[in-house]
């Protein structure tokens, strides 16, 4: 998978996963995913959203 495909998958899971995010929170997380410049940043976003968001 390339970087773009991983980001699309992450955003799909944010929208359709088993989570308790509000629509506003989902948009903020998806924006952060779009802005991630390294794989490490992407992992940090995912971990942070899971720890603090559900």
């Amino acid at each position: 998978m390339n970087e773009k495909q991983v980001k699309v998958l992450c955003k799909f899971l944010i929208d359709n996963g088993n989570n308790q995010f509000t629509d506003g929170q989902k948009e903020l997380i998806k924006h952060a995913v779009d802005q991630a410049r390294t794989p490490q940043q992407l992992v940090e976003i995912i971990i942070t959203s899971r720890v603090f968001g559900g």
Side-chain angles (χ1 to χ4, degrees):
M1 284 185 148
N2 65 34
E3 179 182 347
K4 183 176 180 180
Q5 291 170 321
V6 171
K7 288 182 177 185
V8 168
L9 179 60
C10 287
K11 291 189 282 185
F12 174 83
L13 292 173
I14 291 166
D15 279 335
N16 300 295
N18 185 18
N19 57 50
Q20 301 291 326
F21 299 124
T22 66
D23 289 339
Q25 290 170 323
K26 288 180 184 180
E27 291 304 314
L28 287 173
I29 296 167
K30 289 191 285 186
H31 180 72
V33 167
D34 283 336
Q35 297 302 311
R37 295 181 185 200
T38 66
Q40 180 178 345
Q41 286 179 339
L42 192 56
V43 170
E44 291 169 353
I45 293 163
I46 294 166
I47 291 171
T48 303
S49 67
R50 294 301 301 157
V51 168
F52 292 107

